[in-house]
Amino acid sequence: MREPSVLVECVPNFSEGRRLAVIDEIDRSIREVPGVLRLDRHSDPDHNRTVITFAGAPEGVLEAAVRSAGEAARLIDLREHRGVHPRLGALDVLPFAPLEGTTIEECAALAVRAAREIWRRWRVPAYLYGAAALKPDRRDLAHVRRGQFEALREEALRDPERAPDIGGPGLHPAAGAVAAGARKVLVAFNVQLSTADVEIARRIARRIRESSGGLPCVKAMGVPLASRGMAQVSMNLTDYEITPPHRVFLAIREEAGRLGVSIADSEIVGLVPQVALGRAAWAELGLRTPPEDRILERRLDQERARLRDRMK
Amino acid sequence: MREPSVLVECVPNFSEGRRLAVIDEIDRSIREVPGVLRLDRHSDPDHNRTVITFAGAPEGVLEAAVRSAGEAARLIDLREHRGVHPRLGALDVLPFAPLEGTTIEECAALAVRAAREIWRRWRVPAYLYGAAALKPDRRDLAHVRRGQFEALREEALRDPERAPDIGGPGLHPAAGAVAAGARKVLVAFNVQLSTADVEIARRIARRIRESSGGLPCVKAMGVPLASRGMAQVSMNLTDYEITPPHRVFLAIREEAGRLGVSIADSEIVGLVPQVALGRAAWAELGLRTPPEDRILERRLDQERARLRDRMK
């Protein structure tokens, strides 16, 4: 088998982070598609949400995404779903990102195809966001999701400005709608505070996020983690080359100190490109040059590939 | 071409870090051996030393090591060599480390074969150290190198306790001797201080190194870096699983603070296994779980390999 020369990443977020049997069934619908590389799965009980990371050639990725949307619609009822993370669908967000040999524009076209197919097969409508957005204000996912499932299912029918881009106009009664889009690879990074006071997490989120004048390419919100008795600053770093995780971490530590709390710990949701973590090591160790090209395994892979190419 | 299923790393240290033409010729003698993966090269003018990292199947690695010893003996005259790093040979240290499908004992056997062949072809004798040592006190490289080239060339002839293990008894007049050995993959890590006072670097080195009761698996010395007007704590972390770079860094920062100086920056010499850097990122970002299995590229490689295996 030839390795795919085009590699797309897909990182669907499902509105279920507690019932393992449901998560397993959704996961299986992705894994069973031939050629799909299922890379990671992360469930959170407080967010009540699961993030699955997979990659592959465009056709396989498309099929896995559409099947997983069907399983989510079959197994999740948003009318009974509670969690601290905002959501509008059973399959809530469906982003495609270019990894190798493709562009964000091609990923946007793939998102549109996936949304059409999800509507055709499962009657779940879609909003297009990010690089796939048809309306400028829908580039921003937070704008699309404003009011969440509960508000949107009414507004979509009343207000054409709020209707889905594909399918609809009403949402699916149980599964809501999908936000399908294209974007660069991002880092989902959460920092837990030594306090259960969610107001402090919200104040920190407002200080560090781009939309309120903070760090560029940082989206942030404060949420309570009841299961851990902590408040969390939950973030997407939409361009880790511009704002890497360690810079955000230091900014949060500073803000937290000012508010009299400290950082308990942190987590990466899903996967992180080596270069983004390398930057963190760089900061920690005071390295004069970035450590990415100092990594043994990476140089081995590069040289083996070069050798294989020369032998062809 | 099949990829080698046995992979040995070799990290020779040559006593030349200034004359680019000499370094290039030595480097070429390694690169020209078929199948050898030449991974990295690092020269330092103050140490007057070059570290080359390469890997491959045992036979290729052996041949490259022996050829590079010949070039070093042809091009470097230790009688004219000055540098802040102790040395006993033109090719000073020749360590072999197991990467894949091999053991440290097999690497020790390879070191002995390399030493024999270097004596046979170039008449440069060898001391065996680390896991290849024949005498217990020669396990420690610092013990072997005590007094350096200048003292050893006299003592080797006078005192059988100081004679080479292979060849000799006298050293090569210009190229000295090679310390050939086997060890685990290590991390060479240097920290530069905001002072030119080498005595402070030496005090810090004594505080943190294992031999004077400091951190386990840390070898350290203080040296002056005239070219940068700084003092350096120069280290080998012989087991980064036990003492990772960030722990050493924090210990140095604390000692330096106590002595009224700060850290200017740091550097990795050669390559570093992903896991050792991952630990640093972990510390920096307060991650709850180690980030090694969160690295996108790594998971991709793993899944692709799994897929290939299934297709066989």
Side-chain angles (χ1 to χ4, degrees):
Chain A
M1 198 200 116
R2 251 185 13 105
E3 283 180 14
S5 53
V6 172
L7 202 61
V8 173
E9 185 193 47
C10 185
V11 192
N13 291 213
F14 302 93
S15 294
E16 178 58 63
R18 295 171 192 166
R19 294 177 297 158
L20 188 61
V22 168
I23 300 165
D24 279 346
E25 286 207 55
I26 292 170
D27 196 6
R28 193 177 312 120
S29 72
I30 291 167
R31 301 178 90 120
E32 75 190 7
V33 177
V36 162
L37 306 167
R38 209 292 251 123
L39 301 174
D40 190 66
R41 175 175 127 182
H42 181 108
S43 296
D44 186 290
D46 296 299
H47 288 229
N48 200 3
R49 194 173 178 86
T50 292
V51 177
I52 296 180
T53 308
F54 62 96
E59 296 308 313
V61 166
L62 178 71
E63 180 60 23
V66 172
R67 286 193 201 177
S68 75
E71 286 300 278
R74 186 171 71 82
L75 298 166
I76 298 169
D77 189 337
L78 273 195
R79 289 165 295 196
E80 289 162 15
H81 176 270
R82 301 288 175 275
V84 299
H85 196 290
R87 76 286 180 268
L88 56 74
L91 165 52
D92 185 52
V93 196
L94 182 63
F96 296 85
L99 282 182
E100 288 173 22
T102 183
T103 62
I104 200 154
E105 290 73 25
E106 288 172 340
C107 287
L110 200 61
V112 174
R113 285 179 59 201
R116 287 211 178 105
E117 194 61 18
I118 288 168
W119 170 248
R120 194 183 68 78
R121 286 199 222 170
W122 323 116
R123 291 288 135 179
V124 178
Y127 295 84
L128 297 170
Y129 82 99
L134 303 175
K135 300 175 181 172
D137 59 1
R138 291 193 179 173
R139 293 190 75 86
D140 180 21
L141 179 60
H143 180 86
V144 170
R145 208 156 43 188
R146 194 160 37 88
Q148 298 191 58
F149 171 69
E150 286 75 9
L152 206 53
R153 63 179 165 181
E154 322 266 307
E155 294 171 17
L157 289 167
R158 269 203 329 260
D159 179 1
E161 277 298 300
R162 296 286 279 160
D165 291 300
I166 289 173
L171 302 198
H172 186 286
V178 177
R183 54 161 176 76
K184 292 169 77 169
V185 170
L186 62 71
V187 176
F189 182 51
N190 297 332
V191 172
Q192 284 78 243
L193 304 175
S194 66
T195 175
D197 184 353
V198 69
E199 207 33 63
I200 290 183
R202 289 192 182 122
R203 281 173 69 178
I204 293 173
R206 277 194 297 270
R207 285 299 294 261
I208 61 156
R209 71 188 172 207
E210 180 168 25
S211 66
S212 21
L215 296 165
C217 307
V218 174
K219 292 166 182 278
M221 62 181 175
V223 295
L225 297 189
S227 75
R228 299 188 64 203
M230 288 174 175
Q232 179 185 68
V233 184
S234 178
M235 292 165 287
N236 278 338
L237 315 184
T238 57
D239 194 332
Y240 54 81
E241 306 259 19
I242 294 177
T243 304
H246 76 268
R247 197 172 304 154
V248 178
F249 182 83
L250 294 178
I252 292 177
R253 190 161 69 182
E254 199 181 313
E255 282 302 320
R258 209 167 283 161
L259 297 169
V261 303
S262 61
I263 288 175
D265 54 30
S266 69
E267 64 184 8
I268 288 163
V269 179
L271 297 175
V272 56
Q274 203 162 254
V275 64
L277 261 195
R279 294 274 158 83
W282 188 20
E284 166 75 8
L285 299 180
L287 295 174
R288 258 190 297 162
T289 50
E292 292 91 330
D293 58 356
R294 305 246 66 75
I295 293 175
L296 174 65
E297 292 86 345
R298 194 170 187 192
R299 287 289 299 124
L300 265 176
D301 288 344
Q302 288 169 345
E303 285 303 307
R304 280 173 156 170
R306 221 170 51 86
L307 211 61
R308 271 198 305 270
D309 286 350
R310 251 197 300 173
M311 296 290 149
K312 269 177 193 161
Chain B
M1 198 200 115
R2 250 182 14 102
E3 281 179 15
S5 53
V6 172
L7 202 60
V8 173
E9 185 193 47
C10 185
V11 192
N13 291 213
F14 301 92
S15 294
E16 178 58 64
R18 296 172 191 164
R19 293 178 298 159
L20 188 61
V22 169
I23 301 165
D24 279 345
E25 286 207 54
I26 293 170
D27 196 5
R28 193 179 310 123
S29 72
I30 292 168
R31 303 179 89 121
E32 76 189 6
V33 177
V36 162
L37 306 166
R38 209 294 248 124
L39 301 173
D40 190 66
R41 176 176 127 182
H42 181 107
S43 296
D44 186 290
D46 295 299
H47 288 227
N48 200 3
R49 194 171 178 87
T50 292
V51 178
I52 296 181
T53 308
F54 63 96
E59 296 309 313
V61 166
L62 178 72
E63 180 60 24
V66 172
R67 286 193 201 176
S68 75
E71 286 301 276
R74 186 171 70 83
L75 298 166
I76 298 170
D77 188 338
L78 274 194
R79 290 166 294 195
E80 288 160 18
H81 176 271
R82 301 288 174 274
V84 298
H85 197 290
R87 77 284 180 269
L88 56 75
L91 164 53
D92 185 51
V93 196
L94 182 63
F96 297 85
L99 282 182
E100 287 173 23
T102 183
T103 62
I104 200 154
E105 289 73 26
E106 288 173 340
C107 287
L110 200 60
V112 174
R113 284 180 59 201
R116 287 211 178 106
E117 194 60 18
I118 288 168
W119 170 249
R120 195 184 67 80
R121 285 200 221 169
W122 322 116
R123 292 287 135 179
V124 178
Y127 295 84
L128 296 170
Y129 81 99
L134 302 176
K135 301 177 180 170
D137 59 359
R138 291 192 179 173
R139 294 190 75 87
D140 180 22
L141 180 59
H143 180 87
V144 171
R145 208 155 43 189
R146 194 162 39 89
Q148 299 190 58
F149 171 69
E150 285 74 9
L152 206 53
R153 63 179 164 179
E154 322 268 308
E155 294 171 16
L157 290 168
R158 269 203 328 258
D159 179 1
E161 278 299 299
R162 297 287 279 159
D165 291 299
I166 289 173
L171 302 198
H172 186 285
V178 177
R183 54 160 174 78
K184 293 169 76 171
V185 170
L186 61 72
V187 175
F189 182 50
N190 296 333
V191 172
Q192 283 77 244
L193 304 175
S194 66
T195 175
D197 183 352
V198 68
E199 207 33 61
I200 291 184
R202 290 193 181 123
R203 281 173 66 178
I204 293 173
R206 278 194 296 269
R207 285 299 294 260
I208 61 156
R209 70 188 172 206
E210 181 168 25
S211 65
S212 21
L215 296 165
C217 308
V218 173
K219 292 166 182 277
M221 62 180 175
V223 295
L225 297 189
S227 74
R228 298 188 64 201
M230 289 173 174
Q232 179 186 68
V233 184
S234 179
M235 291 164 289
N236 278 338
L237 315 184
T238 58
D239 194 332
Y240 54 83
E241 307 259 19
I242 294 177
T243 303
H246 75 268
R247 194 170 308 153
V248 178
F249 183 82
L250 295 178
I252 293 177
R253 191 161 66 183
E254 200 182 311
E255 281 304 319
R258 208 166 286 162
L259 297 170
V261 303
S262 60
I263 288 175
D265 55 30
S266 69
E267 66 184 8
I268 288 163
V269 178
L271 298 174
V272 56
Q274 204 162 252
V275 64
L277 261 193
R279 294 275 158 82
W282 188 19
E284 166 76 8
L285 299 178
L287 296 174
R288 258 191 296 161
T289 50
E292 291 91 333
D293 58 355
R294 305 247 65 76
I295 293 175
L296 175 64
E297 292 85 346
R298 193 171 187 191
R299 287 289 300 122
L300 265 177
D301 288 345
Q302 288 168 345
E303 285 303 307
R304 280 173 156 170
R306 222 170 51 85
L307 211 61
R308 270 197 306 269
D309 286 348
R310 252 198 300 174
M311 296 290 149
K312 269 177 194 162

